[in-house]
Amino acid sequence: MISYDPLFRTMNEKGITSYRLIKMGFSRSTYYAMKHGENISTHTVDQLCRLLKCNISDIMEYIEDPIEE
């Protein structure tokens, strides 16, 4: 599964709140979708990298799902 925890860590490290990110032009609905682990487009990833001046790995990471028995 994809986790957006790196995004929230990056925002915290850079001192950027969700309010500020939205004021920078990021969609409020997309931000809340990410908070709930929903899918986003590569365009959204590109936009976040540009706004936060960071790499993709600073926004999302892959976490292997536990094997179900």
Side-chain angles (χ1 to χ4, degrees):
M1 81 173 169
I2 299 297
S3 169
Y4 301 113
D5 287 343
L7 168 65
F8 307 115
R9 283 193 300 267
T10 299
M11 288 174 60
N12 187 45
E13 289 169 5
K14 293 181 176 267
I16 297 176
T17 63
S18 59
Y19 177 80
R20 182 168 171 208
L21 187 64
I22 292 163
K23 287 296 182 184
M24 293 167 75
F26 193 72
S27 163
R28 179 188 319 261
S29 61
T30 303
Y31 178 80
Y32 287 112
M34 292 177 74
K35 285 286 272 188
H36 293 98
E38 296 178 18
N39 295 328
I40 60 170
S41 70
T42 54
H43 171 73
T44 299
V45 175
D46 180 65
Q47 182 183 25
L48 283 167
C49 287
R50 189 171 15 84
L51 289 172
L52 298 174
K53 295 178 178 46
C54 66
N55 293 310
I56 293 170
S57 61
D58 297 321
I59 294 175
M60 55 198 237
E61 66 185 340
Y62 172 75
I63 298 174
E64 191 169 336
D65 290 328
I67 299 173
E68 293 185 29
E69 296 181 23

